[in-house]
Amino acid sequence: MSEFWKKKMRTLLYTFDYDKDGYISEQDAADMGYGFAGAYNATPEKKENLASMFKKAWGKYMKAGDLETDPRLTVTTLIESIKQQFYDPDLMILTVSMMRSMFELIDASQDGYLQPDEFSDWFKNLGVPEGTYDLKFAFDAVDVNGDGKISVEEFIAAFHDFLFSQDESSPNKYFFGPLVDETEYP
């Protein structure tokens, strides 16, 4: 895998490292699900559902780790796990389900599309500092048909591109905001 792809994985881990301690524990994964759902005033059932999905994803991404002696998802573990499971349909199904659930929360208007303000809230709720990204560029990259709104299919496709593509020119590399390098998050 390319250094560029590894940088995207570092960004993914940084984004979901709820307490910013350099790794994701199973509890961090659940807290992220609860916290993200709570930011959108989700029902208790939706909070539980998202927390459960985050914990399942953590378990999948820990595949290359050692759950017995060191149950922490680090950048190295994430990279190795995804390399091992690159073509695993179970990882894809879980990822799509999780992103669909997140989309449904982000879609505050419940019209089946993300508007620019809802997409802006997505970045804010992920903790991406304002001014560190070009929101219009990121929105337009995901809105591939250019209709001024993001469908669930476009959202999932953008995440899939972020997670699996090694194309450095893909605008979806900014799906979680600016890429994070080793000096910012080892």
Side-chain angles (χ1 to χ4, degrees), residues 4 8 161-162 168-177 179:
F4 167 72
K8 290 194 307 177
D161 183 63
F162 179 89
E168 293 186 38
S169 67
S170 171
N172 289 319
K173 64 186 174 192
Y174 300 118
F175 189 74
F176 291 108
L179 296 179

Side-chain angles (χ1 to χ4, degrees), residues 34-165:
Y34 287 124
F36 191 77
Y40 288 99
N41 300 313
T43 65
E45 182 181 335
K46 285 189 176 184
K47 286 180 185 178
E48 286 296 328
N49 184 41
L50 194 61
S52 175
M53 281 189 203
F54 272 69
K55 284 171 58 173
K56 284 180 188 171
W58 175 84
K60 275 303 249 183
Y61 294 136
M62 276 298 295
K63 189 168 188 155
D66 184 350
L67 289 173
E68 295 299 318
T69 60
D70 190 12
R72 299 179 303 168
L73 181 60
T74 63
V75 172
T76 302
T77 307
L78 176 66
I79 288 169
E80 289 307 311
S81 290
I82 292 180
K83 283 166 53 175
Q84 288 176 14
Q85 302 177 83
F86 209 72
Y87 299 105
D88 181 350
D90 291 338
L91 179 61
M92 186 55 59
I93 290 167
L94 176 60
T95 300
V96 168
S97 288
M98 194 166 63
M99 295 312 293
R100 185 175 301 279
S101 292
M102 290 176 71
F103 179 92
E104 290 169 2
L105 289 173
I106 299 164
D107 180 17
S109 64
Q110 296 298 295
D111 64 356
Y113 297 95
L114 299 184
Q115 309 302 328
D117 61 323
E118 293 167 326
F119 192 74
S120 176
D121 285 346
W122 152 255
F123 270 39
K124 187 182 340 172
N125 288 324
L126 287 175
V128 179
E130 284 190 54
T132 62
Y133 56 88
D134 181 343
L135 185 65
K136 180 169 175 16
F137 177 81
F139 183 89
D140 290 346
V142 179
D143 178 23
V144 293
N145 67 4
D147 64 358
K149 54 191 177 186
I150 297 171
S151 69
V152 68
E153 293 82 11
E154 289 171 319
F155 188 75
I156 290 169
F159 179 72
H160 182 272
D161 183 63
F162 179 89
L163 192 59
F164 297 110
S165 171

